[in-house]
Amino acid sequence: MTLALIVLLPLLGSVLPLLTDRRGRSLCALATMLAPISGLVLLWQHVPAVFAGETVVQSWPWLARIGLNLSFRLDGLGFLFALMIMGIGLLVILYARYYLSKNDPMGRFFAYLLLFMAAMLGIVLSENLLLMMFFWELTSLSSFLLIGYWSHSTDARKGARMALAVTGGGGLALLGGVLLLGQIVGSYELTDVLASGDIIRAHALYPVVLVLVLLGVFTKSAQFPFHFWLPHAMAAPTPVSAYLHSATMVKAGVFLLARLYPALSDTDLWFFLVSVTGMATLLIGACTALFKHDLKGLLAYSTISHLGLITLLFGLDTQLAAVAAVFHIINHATFKASLFMAAGIIDHETGTRDMRRINGLWRYMPHTATLAMVAASAMAGVPLLNGFLSKEMFFTETLQQEQFGNYSWIIPLVATLAGVFSVAYSLRFVHDVFFNGKPVNLPKYPPHEPPRYMKVPVEILVALCLLVGLVPAYTVASLLAVAASATLGGELPEYSLSMWHGFNLPLMMSIVALVAGVLVYATRRRVFDWYDQLPEIDGKLIFERAVQALVRGAGQFTLLLENASLQRYVAWMLIAALTVTGFWLVRLPTLRGSVALTPVDGVTFVGALILVVAAIATACWHRRRLVALIMLSVVGLMVALTFARFSAPDLALTQLSVEMVTIILMMLALFFLPRSSPAESSHARRIRDVGLAGLAGLLVGGLSLAVLTRPYETIAGFFLENSYTGGGGTNVVNVILVDFRGFDTLGEISVLAIAGVGIYALIDGLRLRIPDTDSFGRQWARDPHPLLLVNLSRLILPLALMVSVYIFLRGHNLPGGGFIAGLITAVALILQYVANGEQWTSKRWGINYHYLAGAGVIVAGLTGLGSWAFGYPFLTSAFDYFHVPLVGEIELATAMLFDLGVYLTVVGATLLILTNMGKLSGTRSAREVL
Amino acid sequence: MELLYASMLGLLTMSGVYLLLRARTFPVVVGLTLISYAVNLFLFAMGRLNTGMPAVLGQASEYSDPLPQALVLTAIVIGFAMTAFALVLALRAQGELDSDHVDGKGDQG
C-alpha cells in the first residue's frame, strides 16, 4: 500500500496549492511540500528492507488479462530515484517560492510540479511495464505544461510543443518496445522481464525491441540526434529546468537504461547503439556548451553532454561502468540542479542570462558566486568534489574497452576531449559571470544577493557535492551500492570510491583535461571567432520546418477530401461501400442460392409496384418538393403494408405511426424552406449520380437476393421458447424489446431523448423568415384553424388516447407495446396542435416534454435497477398473473413498467421535437405555423 | 417473391441514393428517409419472407424470426429521430446562412 501511496500522494496533493493559492505564497509552498515530505516518510520505512538488498513488490490485479496490474516495486535503484525526485523536488519548491514573481499564478505552477512528481515517481516505482508506460507519457504531458507555463511567450509555447512532440514520439516507440517485450516474456512484470534476459536476447525480435526501447530512452534523455528539444525547453521557468532538466525528466531515459540493463544489455548491438550514441552526445554537447552565450543554454548543452556520458557508460557494458553510471546520475543531479538554481538567481537579480552582459558579479553577490563556483568545479571534475570521483571511474572504464578493435583508443580520446570542453565551459560559467570586468548594461542594476531562503536549496546541494567528494564512504557509498546492485540484478563488482588511486592513466587524462580546458578558455576569442563562421545547424529550425510542412500537407490532403460539399463526401462513402461490398458479392459463385423462390401473388406484386413507382416518382419530382413529399408518404405507407404482408404486425404499426409523424415534421420544415429546388445539376453530374445510385441499388438488390435464397440459420428458437416461460409474454417481439434485449432498448430511448433535447437546442433562438404565400403564390388561408378540424380533433382525442392505452396494455401478448402506444399518443396530441394551434394547446395541456422524456428514461432505468434490490442482475424482469373482477386474468410484469418508460420517452421526445418546430415562428409573428 | 422483394429494395435504394446526391437540404433528407426505409426492409428480410406467421405465441403453428423485427422496430424510431435531427439542422442552416445548399457553394450558382 505504501508504495502506491508514495505515487498517489503528489497526485492528490496537487489540489492543495490550488486551494491555498490565494492565502499567501509561503502557505502555498508549504502546502505543496506536504506530499513529498509524507512521501519521504513513507519511503523511509522501507530503508531497512532496501538496504538489506530486498525488492519490495506490492501488487493489485487490475486488467490482468492484458497483463496490466497495479503493481509497484521498490529496490535500490527505485529508492535512489525516488529519493532524488522527492528530495530535489522539495528544494525546488522552496526555491520556486522565491523565484516566481507576484504576477505568476503560483498555485497552478505547484499543481503542475506535483503532477509531474507523481508521474516521475510512477516511472521509477512501477513494477508493471505497462503501468510505467502510463507514467512515462504523463511525464511528457506534465512537462509540456511546465515548460509552457509562461504561455504568453512564443518561445515557451514552441519549446513546450517541441519537447512534447519529441518525447511523445519516443514514448510511442517505447510503447511498441514494451509491448513486444511483454509478448516475448509473457508478462509485463519487471521481475519476470529482468529474469528473462537470455530469452529476450535470443529472440528474433530482440533488435526491434532494443531499437524501439532505445528510441524512447534517447528522446527522453536528449541524446543525439534528438537532443535539440532540451535547449529550447529552457524557456521554462528556472525551477522547472533545475528539476526536470537536471535531476528527473531527462534522467527518466537513463533510468530506463539502468532498469532494463539486465534484460537488454550484454550484446554487440547494445554496445554499438548505446555507446556510439552516448559518445556523440557527450562530445557534441560539451563542444556546443562552450559557445552558448545564454547561461541556461550553456547548462542545457552541458546536461546533454553529461547524459551522453551516462549513456556511454551503460553502453560500455561492464559492471563497473554501470556502477559509474549510477554514481554519475547522483552527482550530476546534485551539481546541475544547484547550477540551474544559481543561474536562476542571477537571471532573477540581473534581469538577463546573456553572459556577454553579466560580468563581475563577484562584487555584488559573493555568496551566490562561491556556491556556483563550487558546483561548477564539480561539473568540471575538479578533485575533492563529487564530479571528480565519477569522472575518474568513467575515464578508467573507457580504457578497458576493446570492442572497437584497433580503434578502441577513440573512446578514451573522445572522453578526454569532452573533459577538456567541460573544463572550458565550466570555467567560462565562473569567469565570465563573476569576474571578467564589469556588468554591461544590465536591466536591473545594481544586482544584489537574493532572499536568504532562496539560497538554502543551493547551499544544501553544494554541501552534498562537497561531502560526497570528500568522504564518499560515509555519505553515498551504501546508497550507491544498493542502487548499483539493483541495476546489475543483484551482483556487485569490486570498486573503490577513494580519491587517490595512485598516479595512473585516468588521473593523467584528468590533468590533461584540466590544463587543456584552461588553455582553450584562455584562447577563447579565437575559438569563438572560429565557431561563429561555422554554418549554423539549428535543430529547432529543421523541426519547425518539418512541422509546418506536415501541417501544410495535412491541410492540402484535407482540402482534397473535405471541400464542404456533402455530395462529394457521400460519393466517396458510396464508392468505398460499393468497392468493399461489391468485391465480395462478385466473388460469389452464383448470386442465387439453393433455396427455391416462393410464388408471387397478384396483390403483393401490385403493392410492390406502387412502392417502386412512388419511390422513383419521389426521385424524379424532387424539385417540386411538396409533390415529392406526398410521393414519399406513399412509399412509407407501402413499407408499412410490406411489414404487415410478411408477418410483422408490430413493425407495420410502428411504421404507420412514425410515417405520420415524419410527414407532419417534413411539412413543417418545408414551410420555412424553399418550395422547389432549382435545376442546377449539370447533365454529366446527373448521369454520374444515376450511375452511382444504380450501382448502389444493384448492390442492395443483389445482396438481398443472395441472402434470401440461401439457407437460413437463426437463434430465434431461444426467444420463442423462453418468451412465455421466462418473459411472461406471448408477443415475442415485445418481450425481446423490454426483456431479453432491454438494455439495448434503454440505450435506444436514451438516444431518442437526447435527440429531442438536441433538436430543442438547435431550434432555440432560431429565427426564420415566414413566407407570405404558398408554393403556388397564393395567400395563406385566413383561418389557420378550420372549425371542422378543431371539433373533430377534440372528439378524436379521448378515443385515440384510449386506443393507445389498449395498445400499450396488450403489447406484451399481442402486437403493440410502449413504442407503438407512445407514437399513437403523440399523433393524437399533434393533431390537437395542428387543429388548435401551438399556444392554445400548450396552455391547456401544460406538460413539459423535456421532463416527460427524461422521466421515461428514468422510469426505465429505475426498473432495471430495481432488480438489483432483489439480488438479480440489471434489468431482470419478474411477472405474475392476477385475476381482476370484470376484466379477467391480467398479467403484471416489471417489464411493463419498463415499457411505460419507453412509452413516456417516445411521447416526450416526439412532442418535444414537433412542438418546438411548430413554435419556431411564434415569437415573431402573430400567425402560428401549427 | 424473393426476386420481387430484392428488386423492390434495389429500386428503393437507387431512388434514395440519387436524392442523397442532390445539392439541397430537402432532397437529401427525403433521400435519407427513402434509404432508411430500404435499410429497415433489408434488415427485416434477414428473418426471411414469411406469410401469416407473426411472432405471437399461440397465433399460428410456425413463427417468423422475432429478432430482426425487434431490431427493426427500434431502428424505425431511431430513424425518425435522425430524420428529425437532419431536418432541424437544415432549418438551422437556413436560418443562419440563409441558404439550403449542401454542395459547398453559395446561392450565387
Side-chain angles (χ1 to χ4, degrees), chain A residues 223-288:
Chain A
Q223 296 296 300
F224 180 81
F226 307 110
H227 63 286
F228 58 89
W229 69 265
L230 186 58
H232 294 287
M234 291 299 127
T238 303
V240 174
S241 309
Y243 193 39
L244 270 64
H245 305 134
S246 72
T248 51
M249 161 101 163
V250 291
K251 292 282 169 63
V254 285
F255 166 80
L256 200 64
L257 275 187
R259 186 81 286 176
L260 296 177
Y261 188 78
L264 294 178
S265 70
D266 205 17
T267 62
D268 283 346
L269 191 62
W270 166 280
F271 172 78
F272 283 111
L273 284 178
V274 180
S275 66
V276 169
T277 308
M279 232 168 6
T281 314
L282 168 68
L283 198 58
I284 291 172
C287 284
T288 318

Side-chain angles (χ1 to χ4, degrees), chain A residues 574 578 585 689-705, chain B residues 5-18 38 42:
Chain A
L574 275 173
L578 285 173
L585 201 62
D689 290 351
V690 169
L692 264 179
L695 281 175
L698 266 181
L699 188 82
V700 171
L703 203 59
S704 319
L705 189 65
Chain B
Y5 194 87
S7 5
M8 182 177 90
L9 280 192
L11 288 165
L12 192 56
T13 313
M14 181 175 161
S15 313
V17 169
Y18 179 75
F42 178 79

Side-chain angles (χ1 to χ4, degrees), chain A residues 623-638:
Chain A
R623 286 196 282 111
R624 292 156 69 190
R625 294 181 173 181
L626 193 63
V627 179
L629 188 55
I630 292 168
M631 286 297 130
L632 179 72
S633 67
V634 173
V635 180
L637 287 177
M638 293 317 291

Side-chain angles (χ1 to χ4, degrees), chain A residues 515-526:
Chain A
V515 175
V518 174
L519 278 178
V520 167
Y521 182 70
T523 57
R524 61 186 179 281
R525 298 253 173 277
R526 234 171 287 163

Side-chain angles (χ1 to χ4, degrees), chain A residues 38-50:
Chain A
S38 12
L40 280 174
V41 171
L42 288 175
L43 192 66
W44 221 248
Q45 297 175 348
H46 292 288
V47 163
V50 170

Side-chain angles (χ1 to χ4, degrees), chain A residues 377-423:
Chain A
S377 313
M379 177 162 76
V382 171
L384 298 181
L385 293 160
N386 59 356
F388 174 74
L389 296 178
S390 45
K391 189 167 266 189
E392 283 296 286
M393 288 170 88
F394 166 58
F395 283 158
T396 315
E397 286 314 303
T398 58
L399 293 167
Q400 312 292 322
Q401 284 303 319
E402 275 156 19
Q403 291 264 27
F404 282 138
N406 286 338
Y407 295 98
S408 293
W409 49 268
I410 286 182
I411 305 177
L413 182 75
V414 166
T416 318
L417 211 56
V420 171
F421 277 106
S422 127
V423 170

Side-chain angles (χ1 to χ4, degrees), chain A residues 738 749 808 818 852 855-857 859-860 863 894-906:
Chain A
V738 298
I749 58 172
F808 176 79
L852 200 61
V857 177
V859 167
T863 311
T894 56
M896 196 166 261
L897 207 57
F898 183 81
D899 219 10
L900 181 67
V902 174
Y903 171 83
L904 292 176
T905 315
V906 171

Side-chain angles (χ1 to χ4, degrees), chain A residues 628-677:
Chain A
L629 188 55
I630 292 168
M631 286 297 130
L632 179 72
S633 67
V634 173
V635 180
L637 287 177
M638 293 317 291
V639 170
L641 286 178
T642 311
F643 286 135
R645 165 68 183 80
F646 295 112
S647 328
D650 285 279
L651 292 191
L653 284 171
T654 316
Q655 176 65 43
L656 199 63
S657 28
V658 163
E659 190 53 33
M660 282 188 246
V661 184
T662 311
I663 296 298
I664 294 174
L665 194 71
M666 287 185 138
M667 285 181 72
L668 265 174
L670 200 52
F671 180 76
F672 297 104
L673 292 170
R675 302 307 146 81
S676 58
S677 315

